[in-house]
Amino acid sequence: LSPVGEGLQVLVYAPDQADLFARICGYFDRAGFSIQDARVHTSASGYALDTFQIMAGDNHQFDGVHYRDMIALVETQLADAVSSQDTLHEPSKARLSRRVKSFPVTPRVSLRPDERAQRWLLTVSASDRSGLLYVIARILARHQISVHLAKVSTLGERVEDTFLVTGPALRQDRAQLAIETELLQALAA
């Protein structure tokens, strides 16, 4: 159970692999959970330690009686999703809340090198919607971008996400522009 607020806190500790972040986010998207907060860390020894704060979506209700069953379900299904080699599924179509429709946040994407110019800092700001983190993770996976660190925050109807990423595509200006453009289009959709 989440130590703060409602929902569940999910910890994933696994050998790092291509698309791991996208697979985890994809599982939550497909299962109908909303990711409220996430922290992603990749160790020098090649392991990922990721934590997610998830809330019940329209498909689930979290109440005291069903938490145990829900935890067992998430543990089993998420382990299967992480070990799967299937292609990433299409993101689910999310409805926008009335608040987001009334007070939309103009999407912003920034991609710049870190202090040592070895990794890249990707910052994303947009209106929150169900499955948004999976949409971002899927685009990064498609461009073979690895997420080493992430801080994902949902602030009411707004998301502020920061990622430390690497990948061969980031060494080319044209590819960087394509990634930023694809992210902006997906955030505005």
Side-chain angles (χ1 to χ4, degrees):
L1 298 178
S2 174
V4 292
E6 297 178 22
L8 299 176
Q9 184 176 47
V10 180
L11 171 80
V12 178
Y13 180 72
D16 193 24
Q17 64 185 33
D19 306 342
L20 177 63
F21 183 64
R23 289 189 184 286
I24 295 168
C25 294
Y27 163 73
F28 290 132
D29 178 61
R30 181 174 275 171
F33 293 109
S34 175
I35 301 171
Q36 298 299 304
D37 186 76
R39 301 286 187 270
V40 173
H41 303 278
T42 305
S43 71
S45 61
Y47 276 81
L49 178 64
D50 305 343
T51 58
F52 296 85
Q53 175 74 30
I54 62 170
M55 297 289 292
D58 295 336
N59 303 344
H60 304 286
Q61 293 298 318
F62 284 164
D63 59 30
V65 175
H66 296 103
Y67 268 114
R68 241 179 323 181
D69 295 337
M70 192 60 62
I71 289 170
L73 182 72
V74 169
E75 287 175 343
T76 304
Q77 290 180 347
L78 183 55
D80 291 344
V82 166
S83 63
S84 172
Q85 295 303 312
D86 295 342
T87 57
L88 298 173
H89 68 275
E90 289 292 321
S92 60
K93 300 293 180 198
R95 290 188 338 239
L96 293 179
S97 72
R98 281 188 226 163
R99 280 183 94 178
V100 169
K101 287 179 185 177
S102 300
F103 304 102
V105 175
T106 303
R108 289 180 301 149
V109 174
S110 170
L111 184 61
R112 55 184 163 60
D114 70 356
E115 305 85 42
R116 296 185 297 186
Q118 294 178 343
R119 296 181 179 178
W120 294 82
L121 191 63
L122 171 66
T123 56
V124 174
S125 176
S127 295
D128 187 27
R129 68 174 190 256
S130 180
L132 181 65
L133 190 57
Y134 178 54
V135 169
I136 295 168
R138 196 166 177 267
I139 290 170
L140 296 177
R142 186 171 34 253
H143 289 279
Q144 299 176 340
I145 306 279
S146 296
V147 177
H148 297 276
L149 292 170
K151 181 178 183 284
V152 175
S153 301
T154 304
L155 311 164
E157 301 300 323
R158 176 189 187 101
V159 295
E160 294 285 337
D161 302 344
T162 305
F163 306 91
L164 189 61
V165 297
T166 60
L170 297 173
R171 295 187 192 114
Q172 304 165 356
D173 291 341
R174 182 174 278 168
Q176 286 178 26
L177 185 59
I179 293 165
E180 288 177 316
T181 302
E182 195 173 335
L183 284 168
L184 280 170
Q185 289 171 343
L187 296 173

